Amino acid sequence: MNYRGIQSIYAFEMGRTLRTIGQSIASPVISTVLYFIVFGAAMGSRIQTMDGVPYGAFIVPGLIMLTVLGQSVSNASFGIYFPRFTGTIYEILSAPLSFIEIVLGYVGAAASKSVIIGTIVLITAAFFVPLHIAHPLWMIFFLVMTSVTFSLMGFIIGIWADGFEKLQLIPLLIITPLTFLGGSFYSVKMLPPFWYKVSLVNPVVYLISGFRWSFYEQGDVSLVTSVTMIGVFTVAALGIIAWIFRTGYRLRK
Amino acid sequence: MQSTAIEITGLHKTYENGFQALAGIDLEIKRGEIFALLGPNGAGKTTLIGAICGIVQPSAGKILVCGHDNVTDYRAARMSIGLVPQELATDAFESVWNTVSFSRGLFGKPRNPAYIEELLKKLSLWDKKDEQIRRLSGGMKRRVMIAKALSHEPDILFLDEPTAGVDVELRKSMWAQVRALQETGVTVILTTHYIEEAEEMANRIGVINKGRLVITETKDALMKKMGKRQMVFVLREPLASLPSVPDYTLALEEGGNKLIYTYNAHQDDHDISDLLEKLSAQNIRPREIESRQSSLEDIFIQLIG
């Protein structure tokens, strides 16, 4: 294992984040505050409790997920797309690094950033609603696994994309709808049976459900299902990345 | 220690669009030599380097780098290689020091600030070490890329068109640096289409065209084999027509003021005194005699025709 190589990529990527630390943190914090003002304070006061949880508190896990998913995908996709774009990827490809090591470096850094931002959103939320975290370790587990899974997905997008437009397109066309329809602001159980069934093919449902369970012991699906599905997504993403490196898809000519 | 730096057998590469970039390359590069890969644009130079360094996936063939297969034992193979690609690709916002240290880390080498300092000083980059790369000139960026390639102390250095778009001054200093590297035991493989560069630098030259190595020879042998010599007779009075002297290839230049005799340097069938006698019999008397040697450029054109 080339640990120094992994560490170099990781430190390089984290350094890139630190250079723009202001915007990295400001934007998720501001949008969280906005969501709380609109959904928590303004509309939430008219909404009954959701499964016994006040609406303002109910949306906290969903809001964190919303930010974490978006950040993971955009960080990881940009992290690997940018060296492809500038041409500096030659160095990564010609270095004695296995695909696992490259992924650990890039995805590890993107996921770390997501976890940090998720934590910042959580702290911000604590100013608006009384927070109760029933299972802190599970909460951390879901936060980390979601960051990792979606950073892997972002990594795939960053390799697939052949222009900045495509880099933005997937998050806009797929990730955002999946998060909004994944139960960030509502329980998917509230949907008509047909749409509830449709929702179950949305991976984000399992993430948000599990994450919300760790807060309030209530989820749309069972904990076991959530954990299993996250495992399935992670393995699928790793499988795709393994295929990418074996065939050289868009990386090696 | 292995005496062969790189050994390539039966290397083929056909791109997805059907373009055959390499059509069966067999090549052996010895340790410590400067090998120049010479060829026109699109000949396959960059593809060949890419295949050795792990950036291009070959369609067929085997590559050994210091005895290590570059697919099955890619870590050891790549550890020995430093690559400076043709295009200037740098992380614009990073400092020189950070980017070079990053490269060393990628190759799994422990930090060694003293070595990096020495390297940057050697490449005249030391006073720019904290500068962002985007603020550097093109020539400096090129040197940063060389520093990155050397950061992990490789045995073999690839320079893909190192002096493309570099002014004469800088080119000369780069040549000096490459020679200094060779003295420290580094094998250097450079591609170029500046023939003077190959002639100036290389111990051996491989001429590549349309994905095939047309010839691989030491520079001197290549010059000897392919090198034509010319004897130029500057005449007292211009000649109106070419004199007929059997067995000698003659031509007129500059309105008949110069008579040119072309012969092959490595053949023994030429006899200048005999020619002079024959010319003098026709009352042709040269005022001066010059001799010319064909450059690699002429050889090159002859080879790839």
Side-chain angles (χ1 to χ4, degrees):
Chain A
M1 212 53 170
N2 182 352
Y3 292 107
R4 284 201 186 86
I6 301 170
Q7 193 204 333
S8 293
I9 296 177
Y10 184 87
F12 180 89
E13 284 296 297
M14 290 310 271
R16 194 168 59 79
T17 305
L18 286 176
R19 272 202 299 272
T20 54
I21 189 77
Q23 61 207 49
S24 302
I25 291 174
S27 103
V29 169
I30 289 173
S31 60
T32 310
V33 171
L34 289 176
Y35 278 121
F36 275 119
I37 292 172
V38 174
F39 291 105
M43 291 169 69
S45 57
R46 306 281 169 91
I47 297 175
Q48 296 293 313
T49 55
M50 301 276 279
D51 300 331
V53 180
Y55 188 68
F58 177 84
I59 63 171
V60 171
L63 277 184
I64 295 173
M65 280 290 157
L66 196 67
T67 309
V68 165
L69 293 180
Q71 288 287 330
S72 299
V73 171
S74 69
N75 280 325
S77 61
F78 191 80
I80 188 70
Y81 179 73
F82 200 62
R84 287 180 56 219
F85 176 75
T86 59
T88 52
I89 188 85
Y90 82 86
E91 205 176 14
I92 305 289
L93 295 178
S94 62
L97 289 162
S98 70
F99 97 88
I100 292 283
E101 290 156 353
I102 297 175
V103 169
L104 278 174
Y106 279 104
V107 172
S112 301
K113 189 183 170 188
S114 296
V115 170
I116 293 168
I117 289 172
T119 310
I120 291 171
V121 172
L122 181 67
I123 294 167
T124 313
F127 286 101
F128 291 87
V129 288
L131 276 184
H132 168 75
I133 302 170
H135 305 282
L137 287 180
W138 278 109
M139 194 275 284
I140 294 167
F141 169 82
F142 278 108
L143 184 61
V144 170
M145 283 314 290
T146 305
S147 300
V148 169
T149 312
F150 276 75
S151 295
L152 287 171
M153 211 182 243
F155 188 84
I156 296 170
I157 294 170
I159 286 176
W160 165 80
D162 48 15
F164 279 103
E165 296 79 16
K166 279 196 185 169
L167 210 55
Q168 314 239 298
L169 200 67
I170 295 292
L172 196 71
L173 282 185
I174 298 176
I175 308 293
T176 309
L178 283 186
T179 5
F180 271 87
L181 301 176
S184 306
F185 300 108
Y186 59 91
S187 164
V188 291
K189 280 190 238 159
M190 292 161 69
L191 294 170
F194 174 75
W195 292 109
Y196 174 72
K197 288 244 169 61
V198 171
S199 290
L200 292 182
V201 299
N202 178 358
V204 178
V205 167
Y206 301 94
L207 299 172
I208 294 182
S209 169
F211 196 50
R212 188 175 287 139
W213 175 86
S214 71
F215 279 74
Y216 308 121
E217 297 192 293
Q218 276 166 9
D220 294 334
V221 293
S222 75
L223 178 65
V224 178
T225 318
S226 280
V227 174
T228 313
M229 291 309 273
I230 291 179
V232 170
F233 298 138
T234 309
V235 169
L238 276 175
I240 294 172
I241 295 173
W243 172 84
I244 285 172
F245 277 87
R246 207 182 54 244
T247 60
Y249 173 76
R250 298 229 167 149
L251 278 180
R252 293 199 161 88
K253 285 175 266 176
Chain B
M1 207 204 263
Q2 191 110 16
S3 65
T4 309
I6 288 174
E7 201 181 332
I8 299 171
T9 36
L11 189 66
H12 283 78
K13 174 65 187 178
T14 306
Y15 284 106
E16 263 172 41
N17 61 15
F19 176 70
Q20 193 181 33
L22 298 176
I25 299 274
D26 296 288
L27 177 63
E28 195 181 313
I29 293 168
K30 293 181 200 76
R31 249 179 212 273
E33 70 177 345
I34 298 182
F35 186 88
L37 206 53
L38 197 62
N41 287 325
K45 303 188 291 288
T46 302
T47 303
L48 178 55
I49 287 192
I52 302 169
C53 298
I55 292 168
V56 172
Q57 284 189 329
S59 311
K62 197 177 166 78
I63 301 168
L64 297 179
V65 181
C66 299
H68 305 286
D69 187 297
N70 85 332
V71 177
T72 56
D73 193 8
Y74 69 95
R75 280 188 207 265
R78 290 184 197 172
M79 278 300 283
S80 339
I81 295 179
L83 166 67
V84 184
Q86 193 171 337
E87 260 117 68
L88 281 176
T90 51
D91 293 298
F93 298 100
E94 285 293 325
S95 73
V96 172
W97 178 269
N98 283 349
T99 201
V100 176
S101 307
F102 167 72
S103 301
R104 185 176 170 88
L106 276 188
F107 281 78
K109 287 262 183 168
R111 289 168 52 81
N112 186 346
Y115 173 75
I116 307 263
E117 178 177 340
E118 186 197 323
L119 185 61
L120 292 183
K121 281 183 176 158
K122 236 191 265 172
L123 290 164
S124 322
L125 287 167
W126 181 243
D127 53 334
K128 300 282 178 193
K129 71 183 164 71
D130 297 318
E131 201 80 58
Q132 281 193 340
I133 296 174
R134 66 192 172 118
R135 299 192 197 283
L136 302 181
S137 70
M140 285 180 190
K141 281 183 190 150
R142 178 78 61 187
R143 293 204 303 266
V144 169
M145 293 184 67
I146 295 177
K148 281 165 80 72
L150 291 173
S151 65
H152 62 280
E153 303 161 65
D155 300 322
I156 304 166
L157 180 68
F158 282 92
L159 296 164
D160 197 358
E161 310 255 348
T163 53
V166 165
D167 66 40
V168 182
E169 194 95 338
L170 198 59
R171 197 178 301 170
K172 290 209 167 122
S173 90
M174 215 166 264
W175 289 347
Q177 275 154 0
V178 169
R179 270 192 216 100
L181 269 177
Q182 186 189 26
E183 275 159 31
T184 65
V186 176
T187 310
V188 180
I189 296 145
L190 57 94
T191 73
T192 181
H193 45 225
Y194 294 120
I195 285 144
E196 52 163 8
E197 189 157 76
E199 201 166 354
E200 174 81 25
M201 303 284 305
N203 307 117
R204 276 202 312 149
I205 293 170
V207 177
I208 186 170
N209 191 40
K210 292 180 182 153
R212 280 174 211 282
L213 273 171
V214 185
I215 195 167
T216 315
E217 284 281 9
T218 65
K219 183 177 70 191
D220 299 337
L222 189 64
M223 299 288 291
K224 212 174 274 172
K225 193 188 258 182
M226 305 297 294
K228 286 223 168 93
R229 272 178 185 277
Q230 288 185 325
M231 204 55 84
V232 180
F233 301 104
V234 183
L235 305 174
R236 288 179 189 282
E237 284 131 26
L239 284 173
S241 63
L242 203 60
S244 138
V245 186
D247 303 332
Y248 291 92
T249 320
L250 296 175
L252 283 175
E253 258 181 29
E254 289 180 25
N257 276 310
K258 283 182 177 175
L259 181 68
I260 317 289
Y261 165 47
T262 308
Y263 61 98
N264 201 319
H266 80 288
Q267 282 163 13
D268 277 336
D269 60 353
H270 55 279
D271 187 344
I272 303 295
S273 59
D274 177 53
L275 174 63
L276 276 173
E277 272 169 34
K278 283 180 175 156
L279 287 176
S280 133
Q282 294 187 31
N283 213 12
I284 300 167
R285 289 194 177 78
R287 183 160 53 91
E288 264 177 61
I289 300 174
E290 296 166 7
S291 121
R292 282 185 201 159
Q293 194 174 342
S294 60
S295 67
L296 258 177
E297 183 129 22
D298 305 322
I299 298 175
F300 186 59
I301 289 165
Q302 216 175 313
L303 276 174
I304 69 171

